[in-house]
Amino acid sequence: MSRYDVRKAVIPAAGLGTRFLPATKASPKEMLPLVDKPLIQYAVEEAVASGIEDIIIITGRGKRAIEDHFDRSVELEENLKGNGKAQLLSQMRHISTLANFCYVRQSEALGLGHAVLCAQRLIGDEPFAVILGDEIIDAPVAGLAQLIHAYKKRHGAILGVQEVPHHDVSRYGIVAPRTLSAGLHRVEGLIEKPAPADAPSNLAVIGRYVLPPDIFSILRKTRPGKNGEIQLTDALVELAKKSPMFALEIQGQRYDAGDKLGFLIATVEFALKNPSLGPEFNEYLQNRMSPSGERRKTRAVKA
Ligand code: UTP
């Protein structure tokens, strides 16, 4: 094993999900289903496809459903077995074998930086990945795998980025880049949610990171920043002053599924791609969008 192998990933899932209220009042945002799988399962599958073995999920109050989802469900399995649903049974069993799961409870939502710090003991002294489960990346090569590949060559912290429309920069952490090669940049600075006029670029950090363990000592010293939360971005700014940091443009389609509109768009796209639902759903949408389809729909509603 080399000291640059990335075997562990942290999935922070203790946030309050205020953009998705009231759905997230008593249910975890991470369990919202994108077609037929909860959001967090996409994050776990991306990690596993990137060679990750140990997954540390940061949970909080009201998040028990996440642990149950990645555990065996003996009653359900008995039921599926008894009813001869072998394929569904093997799919359900597979979920709990995807990786080694560990859970750390963040007792208060003190920010993403604090959530990552909660994983320190389980990570120890090795590089690790962070995946934000509400950012879904649909790509032929898993988004995190692209970052890990770059990390093995560069050996510095790597942030996954993508270009966003200039008027949207205030929703993201934005990097000040010095381009090294196509899609790879040295991070010269990083600003959390800048006003468009202050943004050094339109390269936004999109919820995928490979970080060295040095980030923990910095996080320990990081004081609450924007919104009174301990911000991962603030700690990354400090890390970038001490060691090289890079930004890799991740190839793939990204969806912000933690936001209502982004979630709806992701749902439509994943449903259209789904082999068993796609053709019928496509037909429905075509009908719905055609002028006659709308008339039919209006009649149905009136009836
Ligand atoms: P977000 O700000 O996107 O998530 O945090 P949120 O707080 O759940 O949602 P909104 O913005 O209020 O709608 C990014 C990630 O960090 C996690 C969240 O669960 C999310 O995956 N997080 C955030 C924590 O685990 N703990 C925190 O204290 C804050």
Side-chain angles (χ1 to χ4, degrees), residues 12-20 29-30 106 109-112 115 132-134:
L16 300 177
T18 53
R19 285 173 296 157
F20 229 116
K29 168 175 77 173
E30 296 74 16
Q106 186 189 20
L110 296 177
L112 174 59
L132 303 191
D134 47 10

Side-chain angles (χ1 to χ4, degrees), residues 268-285:
V268 169
E269 294 300 334
F270 276 76
L272 285 172
K273 277 178 49 165
N274 185 292
S276 59
L277 292 169
E280 234 179 300
F281 186 52
N282 188 26
E283 201 180 300
Y284 166 76
L285 287 181

Side-chain angles (χ1 to χ4, degrees), residues 6-12 37 39-57 70 97-101 128-133 135-137 139 141-149 152 207-210:
V6 183
R7 302 177 307 146
K8 299 179 180 176
V10 179
I11 304 182
K37 275 192 289 192
L39 291 177
I40 195 163
Q41 192 175 331
Y42 290 87
V44 166
E45 287 174 352
E46 180 182 328
V48 172
S50 308
I52 297 292
E53 296 159 13
D54 298 332
I55 294 186
I56 300 153
I57 299 181
F70 293 108
T97 63
L98 281 168
N100 304 316
F101 293 98
F128 64 102
V130 177
I131 298 187
L132 303 191
E135 298 268 7
I136 300 283
I137 297 175
V141 177
L144 180 61
Q146 298 175 37
L147 285 194
I148 291 177
H149 183 72
K152 285 188 174 158
R208 301 292 182 278
Y209 312 77
V210 175

Side-chain angles (χ1 to χ4, degrees):
M1 189 195 137
S2 129
R3 56 192 279 241
Y4 299 115
D5 281 345
V6 183
R7 302 177 307 146
K8 299 179 180 176
V10 179
I11 304 182
L16 300 177
T18 53
R19 285 173 296 157
F20 229 116
L21 285 168
T24 47
K25 184 169 176 239
S27 312
K29 168 175 77 173
E30 296 74 16
M31 292 304 292
L32 289 170
L34 197 49
V35 183
D36 57 2
K37 275 192 289 192
L39 291 177
I40 195 163
Q41 192 175 331
Y42 290 87
V44 166
E45 287 174 352
E46 180 182 328
V48 172
S50 308
I52 297 292
E53 296 159 13
D54 298 332
I55 294 186
I56 300 153
I57 299 181
I58 312 299
T59 66
R61 259 182 301 286
K63 304 274 184 172
R64 277 290 301 277
I66 297 175
E67 287 175 56
D68 290 341
H69 184 72
F70 293 108
D71 196 1
R72 296 275 302 269
S73 174
V74 179
E75 278 169 30
L76 175 66
E77 287 177 17
E78 286 302 317
N79 177 289
L80 295 174
K81 205 166 160 185
N83 289 308
K85 295 186 175 162
Q87 202 191 349
L88 208 46
L89 174 63
S90 96
Q91 274 176 25
M92 293 310 103
R93 283 197 174 145
H94 179 63
I95 294 172
S96 58
T97 63
L98 281 168
N100 304 316
F101 293 98
C102 294
Y103 299 89
V104 180
R105 192 129 160 155
Q106 186 189 20
S107 49
E108 221 182 312
L110 296 177
L112 174 59
H114 182 261
V116 171
L117 184 57
C118 290
Q120 179 174 18
R121 275 175 170 268
L122 292 173
I123 298 290
D125 193 25
E126 55 182 287
F128 64 102
V130 177
I131 298 187
L132 303 191
D134 47 10
E135 298 268 7
I136 300 283
I137 297 175
D138 189 19
V141 177
L144 180 61
Q146 298 175 37
L147 285 194
I148 291 177
H149 183 72
Y151 176 78
K152 285 188 174 158
K153 289 189 181 156
R154 295 280 166 176
H155 303 163
I158 312 238
L159 318 181
V161 295
Q162 273 192 355
E163 288 188 351
V164 295
H166 203 65
H167 55 84
D168 273 351
V169 290
S170 54
R171 294 173 47 203
Y172 299 92
I174 299 291
V175 301
R178 179 161 57 82
T179 302
L180 300 174
S181 58
L184 183 71
H185 314 268
R186 177 83 187 245
V187 176
E188 309 255 277
L190 189 59
I191 308 184
E192 183 67 13
K193 302 188 170 77
D198 302 331
S201 75
N202 65 341
L203 286 173
V205 180
I206 55 161
R208 301 292 182 278
Y209 312 77
V210 175
L211 301 174
D214 320 31
I215 193 75
F216 292 123
S217 58
I218 299 175
L219 278 169
R220 285 208 168 280
K221 290 186 216 129
T222 305
R223 303 267 62 90
K226 255 189 187 159
N227 304 332
E229 294 186 341
I230 296 175
Q231 298 283 352
L232 181 59
T233 306
D234 291 344
L236 292 174
V237 168
E238 287 308 306
L239 182 66
K241 289 180 191 162
K242 295 182 179 167
S243 51
M245 181 180 288
F246 303 91
L248 180 77
E249 290 181 46
I250 292 185
Q251 304 301 311
Q253 183 62 49
R254 177 184 65 91
Y255 302 97
D256 180 4
D259 165 85
K260 288 175 190 170
L261 182 61
F263 179 83
L264 286 174
I265 294 170
T267 300
V268 169
E269 294 300 334
F270 276 76
L272 285 172
K273 277 178 49 165
N274 185 292
S276 59
L277 292 169
E280 234 179 300
F281 186 52
N282 188 26
E283 201 180 300
Y284 166 76
L285 287 181
Q286 300 284 348
N287 240 328
R288 179 68 185 76
M289 291 305 157
S290 76
S292 57
E294 272 189 73
R295 272 203 300 280
R296 268 211 303 279
K297 176 88 184 165
T298 314
R299 271 207 302 277
V301 170
K302 277 184 184 156

